Amino acid sequence: QVQLQESGPGLVKPSETLSLTCAVSGYSISSDYYWDWMRQPPGKGLEWIGSIKYGGRTYYNPSLKSRVTISLDTSNNNFSVRLSSVTAADTAVYYCTRHKGELNWFDPWGQGTLVTVSS
Amino acid sequence: QSVLTQPPSVSAAPGQKVTISCSGTSFNIGNGYVSWYQQLPGAAPKLLIYENIKRPSGIPDRFSGSKSGTSATLDITGLQTGDEADYYCGTWDSSLTALIFGGGTKLAVL
């Protein structure tokens, strides 16, 4: 059974960089799939942040592309997201998940972690 | 404003049927697969329907999906109070070059 678990600081100051890691168990991230980050501002809908393919190629939401970096750590079977120059608008629950190519469905999801941007 | 349009809320009585629509364009729904997600209060989204009509293992057949042209639909029959949740549709948009979601529909089982 594949499981994903997000971790990272729950509070980030404005203008700083948000960094989160997703630990994957039950599946090798270097085998297949695209590994994704999503976010959901409080009381709002889902937003795709970006993906990294098992070979390392990345795909980002154009609205966030200038600030986002997603990377793989195959030795520890996890992947990470960094979002720079954060503002209060980046306050959200951040989820990690995966999808398989052009089929574009996401399963499973991590439980999510709330990141608040505040001084 | 989401690219995919869903009704903000729907409601129905226990045991009844509800339909949630997801409207898009030829750049997204009209050109790819749609998936649906259920998000119970305080929980992470859960895959409900994939590739327009398929159900993952463990999802009851009370949940069904369909797609026609640039619109997709999620039907839920035999409503239960435990179905109260937010429901999201999602797909790829070739114009935006991004994975996108609808704004979500809150289901109330009255």
Side-chain angles (χ1 to χ4, degrees):
Chain A
Q1 180 185 358
V2 183
Q3 292 183 312
L4 292 83
Q5 177 70 58
E6 305 87 352
S7 64
L11 181 64
V12 181
K13 290 182 168 53
S15 81
E16 295 190 344
T17 296
L18 176 161
S19 293
L20 297 172
T21 296
C22 180
V24 180
S25 60
Y27 193 87
S28 170
I29 63 172
S30 57
S31 297
D32 198 351
Y33 284 88
Y34 293 67
W35 302 90
D36 298 85
W37 285 97
M38 305 282 192
R39 69 180 184 177
Q40 184 173 35
K44 297 188 178 181
L46 298 167
E47 181 180 34
W48 174 69
I49 297 172
S51 305
I52 186 163
K53 195 173 178 180
Y54 57 90
R57 183 173 178 179
T58 52
Y59 306 81
Y60 299 130
N61 190 323
S63 68
L64 298 169
K65 187 174 183 176
S66 63
R67 299 193 291 131
V68 174
T69 302
I70 296 177
S71 58
L72 282 175
D73 180 355
T74 55
S75 60
N76 289 304
N77 212 46
N78 64 44
F79 62 106
S80 300
V81 63
R82 290 170 57 87
L83 181 66
S84 64
S85 305
V86 297
T87 69
D90 295 309
T91 294
V93 175
Y94 286 76
Y95 296 100
C96 56
T97 180
R98 68 173 186 176
H99 79 274
K100 195 157 191 177
E102 295 179 352
L103 302 179
N104 294 326
W105 45 265
F106 300 94
D107 181 67
W109 296 59
Q111 66 182 29
T113 187
L114 174 64
V115 179
T116 301
V117 179
S118 175
S119 55
Chain B
Q1 195 81 2
S2 302
V3 177
L4 301 180
T5 301
Q6 297 181 235
S9 63
V10 295
S11 63
Q16 297 299 303
K17 172 185 173 180
V18 71
T19 295
I20 299 174
S21 60
C22 177
S23 178
T25 70
S26 58
F27 292 112
N28 42 67
I29 292 179
N31 196 35
Y33 289 116
V34 176
S35 53
W36 290 90
Y37 303 86
Q38 177 192 59
Q39 187 174 33
L40 295 169
K46 174 184 174 182
L47 180 67
L48 207 58
I49 297 289
Y50 66 102
E51 294 173 31
N52 303 331
I53 61 172
K54 298 178 181 179
R55 280 188 311 276
S57 168
I59 300 299
D61 59 6
R62 300 188 298 106
F63 296 89
S64 63
S66 63
K67 183 187 119 170
S68 178
T70 60
S71 292
T73 296
L74 173 69
D75 288 324
I76 311 173
T77 60
L79 278 171
Q80 302 173 1
T81 56
D83 296 332
E84 288 198 326
D86 293 324
Y87 292 84
Y88 293 90
C89 57
T91 189
W92 171 262
D93 189 292
S94 58
S95 174
L96 299 173
T97 59
L99 287 153
I100 58 173
F101 293 94
T105 299
K106 182 174 291 294
L107 168 63
V109 181
L110 305 173

